[in-house]
């Protein structure tokens, strides 16, 4: 992210995150299976990537050559060189012959691995436990949450802005959870969409409340601001409110009181306002007076957080299967690095995360309707992207995000421990032949994260006093992404936990 400083007035730059120095590096957005236990590295001198344990970044992927490619800093430039690899090195979708100069945000694919080159990876050094707030993405979510935490600590009202589909409502929920009530529990949150109001009468009575018979055929009632006393009130698409309403909101903010329509005596209004806008322009569609009194939080579009796309999409697939009531691990879909490369190259500039939601829904509904997973993927990708990536040909390479382990290095010495550990595990890598895709339901193969980590999951479950919540937390600390729902299903399947009835 761009380097900025947090300011005290809204008319200055918005809150963003980023250190004052820069260091180039790689973000490993997707790696085949669990075959790379670091997901971000610095590039400080000539840097080798490959299957050899002597590489600076060692990835146990059969599609990689022993030394697949290198990146060399030359002055202010970074030069990628394909080292005569068998399967090629691709930058921004094009196979490289020899050398090429990397630009900030270059998308690199080698084998089934997708990497992002950034001229400054320092903002992404420290991973953030983002799942607590329902936000996915191991790289850009951390800086976003750090900005939200700083805004939550302040006593100012907040404007969250960014294009549609960037997660403004999710950010508001995270802010409310970060804002403690009475120093302990999260602040309750009420939500309201300004675009749903059809008339001025409806807007004013809904927000401020109204006494009986003030409007014809309108009963007396409290307004949202009154109901939000002691809480946070999220008003999405605030730019749809006329200036008159925005001035009334400003009066509530300044005086801490609200009066119902037709009533002279005001009531206390201890409300933390969280506004959201997807508009462009200096004031994001707000009146100048209201805008100047808000703290700004900017959410970047998805094409500015490309490295998070595989993580977000994997989570959306799991959620889509659960919504269909299907006990199917998303790992049944034979997606690989070529598919994630296509998604990263597209970037979903118009719909942002909603574009990923739609893609996941199309894939899942096609499989649930009876299509073979490979057929569903080919059909959806051809329709959506006009491409036909090859399905994976290794059963150990299924839809799976990297563990949440950040090992920042950049030289062979810094990654020596990682390379040594992986070298010791190399002989134990599962190389079973390709399994047949099931026709109706997934078979219990070792192609998903739960079966692959079965012994560790069972041991952790027992050490966690048979608590699913503690087991999930302890596994994630060890870098294993999992959900409480699927832990329950697999532990019951393995006979370690008593089966329980589930509502459909």
């Amino acid at each position: 992210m761009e380097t900025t400083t947090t300011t005290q007035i809204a008319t200055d730059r918005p809150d963003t995150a980023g250190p004052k120095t820069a260091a180039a590096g790689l973000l490993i957005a997707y790696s085949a299976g669990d075959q790379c236990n670091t997901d971000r590295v610095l590039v400080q001198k000539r840097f080798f990537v490959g299957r050899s344990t002597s590489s600076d970044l060692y990835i146990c992927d059969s599609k990689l050559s022993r030394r697949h490619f290198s990146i060399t800093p030359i002055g202010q430039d970074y030069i990628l060189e394909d080292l005569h690899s068998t399967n090629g090195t691709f930058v921004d979708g094009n196979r490289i012959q020899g050398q090429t100069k990397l630009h900030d945000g270059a998308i690199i694919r080698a084998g089934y691995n997708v990497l992002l080159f950034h001229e400054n990876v320092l903002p992404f050094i420290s991973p953030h436990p983002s799942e607590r707030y329902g936000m996915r993405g191991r790289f850009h979510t951390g800086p976003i949450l750090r900005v939200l935490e700083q805004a939550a600590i302040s006593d100012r009202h907040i404007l969250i802005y960014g294009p549609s589909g960037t997660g403004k409502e999710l950010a508001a929920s995270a802010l409310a959870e970060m804002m403690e009530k009475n120093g302990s529990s999260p602040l309750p949150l009420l939500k309201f969409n300004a675009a749903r109001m059809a008339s001025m009468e409806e807007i004013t009575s809904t927000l401020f409340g109204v006494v009986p018979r003030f409007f014809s055929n309108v009963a007396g009632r409290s307004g949202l601001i009154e109901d939000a006393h002691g809480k946070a009130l999220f008003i999405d698409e605030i730019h749809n409110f006329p200036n008159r309403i925005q001035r009334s909101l400003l009066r509530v903010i300044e005086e801490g009181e609200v009066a119902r329509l037709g009533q002279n005596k005001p009531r206390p209004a201890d409300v933390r306002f969280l506004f959201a806008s997807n508009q462009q322009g200096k004031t994001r569609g707000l009146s100048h007076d209201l805008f100047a009194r808000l703290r700004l939080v900017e959410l970047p579009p998805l094409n500015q957080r490309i490295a998070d796309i595989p993580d977000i999409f994997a989570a959306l697939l799991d959620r889509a299967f659960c919504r269909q009531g299907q006990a199917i691990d998303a790992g049944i879909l034979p997606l690989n690095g070529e598919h994630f490369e296509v998604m990263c190259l597209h970037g979903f500039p118009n719909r942002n995360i909603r574009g990923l939601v739609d893609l996941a829904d199309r894939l899942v509904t096609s499989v649930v309707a009876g299509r073979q997973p490979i057929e569903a993927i080919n059909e959806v990708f051809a329709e959506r992207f006009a491409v036909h990536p090859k399905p994976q040909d290794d059963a150990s390479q299924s839809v799976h995000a990297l563990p949440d382990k950040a090992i920042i290095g950049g030289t062979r010495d810094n990654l020596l421990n990682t390379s040594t550990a992986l070298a010791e595990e190399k002989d134990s890598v599962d190389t079973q032949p390709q399994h047949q895709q099931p026709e109706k339901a997934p078979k219990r193969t070792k192609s998903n994260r739960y079966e692959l980590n079965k012994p560790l999951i069972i041991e952790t479950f027992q050490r966690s006093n048979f608590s699913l919540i503690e087991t999930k937390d302890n596994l994630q600390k060890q870098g294993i992404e999992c959900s409480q729902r699927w832990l329950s299903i697999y532990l019951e399947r393995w006979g370690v936990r008593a089966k329980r009835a589930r509502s459909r």
Side-chain angles (χ1 to χ4, degrees), residues 346-358:
H346 187 276
F348 304 87
N350 296 321
R351 302 187 64 189
N352 293 295
I353 294 175
R354 291 174 187 170
L356 287 178
V357 172
D358 178 68

Side-chain angles (χ1 to χ4, degrees), residues 13 39 53 74 81 125 149 153 183 281 285 361 397 477:
R13 300 186 64 134
D39 59 4
T53 55
I74 300 178
E81 180 181 3
I125 285 181
E149 287 170 344
I153 293 172
D361 179 70
Q397 296 167 351
K477 289 177 183 178

Side-chain angles (χ1 to χ4, degrees), residues 14 99 125 152 206 314 375 446:
Q99 298 181 344
I125 285 181
T206 300
E375 294 176 356
K446 291 186 178 181

Side-chain angles (χ1 to χ4, degrees), residues 77-141:
D77 298 330
Y78 289 82
I79 306 301
L80 181 145
E81 180 181 3
D82 179 80
L83 303 176
H84 307 289
S85 63
T86 302
N87 295 309
T89 303
F90 297 79
V91 176
D92 295 334
N94 300 308
R95 183 164 183 168
I96 298 305
Q97 302 294 336
Q99 298 181 344
T100 188
K101 176 183 172 181
L102 292 175
H103 63 85
D104 186 41
I107 300 169
I108 304 168
R109 181 174 63 80
Y112 281 146
N113 307 278
V114 180
L115 308 90
L116 273 290
F117 171 80
H118 282 285
E119 294 175 354
N120 184 17
V121 296
L122 294 184
F124 317 116
I125 285 181
S126 301
H128 200 289
S130 59
E131 285 193 9
R132 176 184 173 188
Y133 305 108
M135 304 179 82
R136 294 287 183 157
R138 288 167 290 122
F139 304 108
H140 298 270
T141 301

Side-chain angles (χ1 to χ4, degrees), residues 202-446:
E202 185 180 9
I203 294 172
T204 52
S205 60
T206 300
L207 280 178
F208 303 103
V210 61
V211 298
R213 296 181 298 279
F214 184 81
F215 294 122
S216 59
N217 300 322
V218 175
R221 67 173 187 267
S222 61
L224 274 172
I225 297 175
E226 187 178 331
D227 294 340
H229 181 69
K231 304 173 183 177
L233 176 57
F234 174 59
I235 301 181
D236 197 5
E237 302 192 59
I238 179 69
H239 54 272
N240 285 291
F241 279 166
N243 283 339
R244 174 184 164 188
I245 299 298
Q246 294 190 30
R247 287 194 297 269
S248 298
L249 284 172
L250 178 59
R251 193 174 306 117
V252 174
I253 288 174
E254 291 180 335
E255 299 176 2
E257 295 178 332
V258 62
R260 296 183 185 182
L261 297 177
Q263 188 177 60
N264 294 325
K265 185 178 180 180
R267 302 164 185 262
D270 178 18
V271 180
R272 188 75 180 272
F273 285 99
L274 309 175
F275 301 124
S277 172
N278 59 16
Q279 296 297 291
Q280 301 293 321
K282 188 175 181 180
T283 64
R284 304 292 165 176
L286 276 66
S287 68
H288 289 277
D289 289 341
L290 177 58
F291 182 81
R293 285 162 175 79
L294 301 176
R295 178 161 181 149
L296 304 186
V297 172
E298 180 182 11
L299 295 184
L302 190 60
N303 60 12
Q304 291 182 18
R305 47 183 301 198
I306 295 295
D308 285 342
I309 286 179
D311 276 357
I312 296 172
F313 187 70
L316 291 174
L317 279 178
D318 281 332
R319 189 174 72 177
F321 274 121
C322 288
R323 284 183 172 178
Q324 291 290 332
Q326 301 293 317
I328 300 176
D329 192 324
I332 187 177
L333 294 171
L335 297 168
N336 59 41
E338 292 186 25
H339 298 94
F340 286 107
E341 178 192 32
V342 168
M343 289 186 238
C344 290
L345 288 170
H346 187 276
F348 304 87
N350 296 321
R351 302 187 64 189
N352 293 295
I353 294 175
R354 291 174 187 170
L356 287 178
V357 172
D358 178 68
L359 183 63
D361 179 70
R362 287 170 180 260
L363 284 173
V364 169
T365 53
S366 182
V367 171
V368 171
R371 300 281 287 176
Q372 289 292 316
I374 292 178
E375 294 176 356
I377 291 172
N378 289 340
E379 182 179 285
V380 171
F381 270 72
E383 176 186 346
R384 186 67 180 81
F385 306 108
V387 295
H388 242 304
K390 296 179 181 178
Q392 65 187 44
D393 56 5
D394 187 338
S396 67
Q397 296 167 351
S398 58
V399 179
H400 192 288
L402 278 167
D404 207 0
K405 295 179 181 177
I407 301 175
I408 306 297
T411 65
R412 186 170 181 273
D413 293 335
N414 289 337
L415 291 173
L416 183 58
N417 293 334
T418 302
S419 298
T420 303
L422 283 169
E424 294 172 353
E425 297 172 2
K426 183 177 180 182
D427 293 337
S428 63
V429 173
D430 188 2
T431 57
Q432 60 182 349
Q434 179 181 359
H435 60 279
Q436 296 294 320
Q437 294 293 338
E439 293 183 2
K440 294 184 179 181
K443 295 182 182 299
R444 295 198 289 263
T445 68
K446 291 186 178 181

